[in-house]
Amino acid sequence: MAQESTRTQISSRADRPLSFKVEDFSVPQGTEEEWRFTPIERIEDFFAEKAAGAGPTVQVSGDARYEIVDRTDARLGHLQAPEDRTGAMAWASFDVAHVVTLEADRQYPDENVITVSGESGKDVAGMHVLIDAQNFSEGTVVINHVGSARLAEGVEVSVGAGAHLTLVSIQDWDDDAAHTLSNRIRIERDGTLRHIVVTLGGDIVRVTTSVEYAAPGGSVDLLGAYFVDEKQHLEHRLFVDHNQPHCRSNATYKGALQGQDAHSVWVGDVLIRPSAEGTDTYELNRNLVLTEGARADSVPNLEIETGEIEGAGHASATGRFDDEQLFYLKSRGIPEDEGRRLVVRGFFAELINKIGVESVQNKLMDAIEDELSLTMGREND
């Protein structure tokens, strides 16, 4: 089941270690490819064999079926196994899991919201969530993380045949929070997933998202937005395993950074296996650096093992705030503060319009406005 994890160099993402057992993963030293950007000294307690802290408070609203089950529930643990030590530790540490089910052949017009509220605590807590979109269901699930916590979380996502699921994960933590999140996704025949990650708060947040297909015809859009402030470390890692023919994936992540030692990491891995004829995939990452002292690392990787595909590509760019755009707006009589806001809004606009969930779009725009107001305040001091 689990592969050896003692190797520090993996030539292909297909060879990455997978296991539910913490002991199958060595303690990261920071030299491993999957950990080289992460300030591991800030999350050393996430590498223990089991979390010691009490879990966060969970509240759920909406029409989807919600259950709290123990870890022996037969529905848990049948998708992908964790791919790193923090994911395995999250699996080992929960006593109960939260299961949200979109029932087969049913449409859910309203959002189903899971609010995860952390309370100030020094110990790491473990948590597990299963989102089960059964065959030909259609609906939206939002997982909103707020408060203060040190949380290792696993989220399993099953998209049934012909199902249409929109899943939103919002990390809106307090400034002192630390969060590792392992999203493990499987898409059945002709299933469609729109997966949206919005990361705004926390001291350090590391989100890994892995997608695999169980049958042909699956489709996934991976959308992400993040705003990194002073001393924050926000990290997003994607892996799309095209292991079935005639599936598609599209990833678009955009982030803005401001403040000393603000650091973002985006790693996008796409593997097209020999059996995945007819694959159509593209990934894009853009970063806008608003101030000196911020750093963005962006690493797209595309591994193709068959030439019989519809298309495959990737793009990545990181740039500073465009003073020429600002000059143009000022020359048209627009004040500098408003001009800066317009440039940043324009940077995020296309992505925000793709989200398609009004409450999330509004939340993201409000957060951008708040961050820009903070920037203006610093510059005016």
Side-chain angles (χ1 to χ4, degrees), residues 98-227:
H98 305 270
V99 180
V100 174
T101 303
L102 305 184
E103 296 176 348
D105 302 303
R106 181 176 173 185
Q107 294 184 348
Y108 295 82
D110 298 324
E111 298 170 17
N112 298 276
V113 181
I114 306 171
T115 302
V116 179
S117 301
E119 297 180 0
S120 229
K122 295 182 179 179
D123 294 327
V124 179
M127 178 178 174
H128 193 77
V129 178
L130 169 63
I131 308 298
D132 184 11
Q134 296 180 345
N135 295 351
F136 301 103
S137 63
E138 183 175 346
T140 297
V141 177
V142 178
I143 308 176
N144 190 24
H145 302 89
V146 296
S148 176
R150 298 186 71 79
L151 180 65
E153 180 182 10
V155 177
E156 293 183 286
V157 183
S158 176
V159 182
H164 295 272
L165 173 65
T166 297
L167 176 60
V168 185
S169 179
I170 302 173
Q171 288 62 245
D172 195 16
W173 295 109
D174 293 346
D175 291 342
D176 61 344
H179 185 200
T180 62
L181 171 58
S182 171
N183 295 301
R184 304 191 291 277
I185 300 164
R186 180 179 295 165
I187 302 176
E188 299 288 344
R189 182 179 296 273
D190 299 327
T192 299
L193 172 66
R194 181 179 293 266
H195 186 257
I196 301 157
V197 175
V198 177
T199 306
L200 304 169
D203 174 56
I204 176 170
V205 177
R206 188 178 195 264
V207 180
T208 61
T209 301
S210 296
V211 179
E212 67 177 6
Y213 302 86
S219 177
V220 61
D221 287 288
L222 302 170
L223 306 177
Y226 46 92
F227 208 121

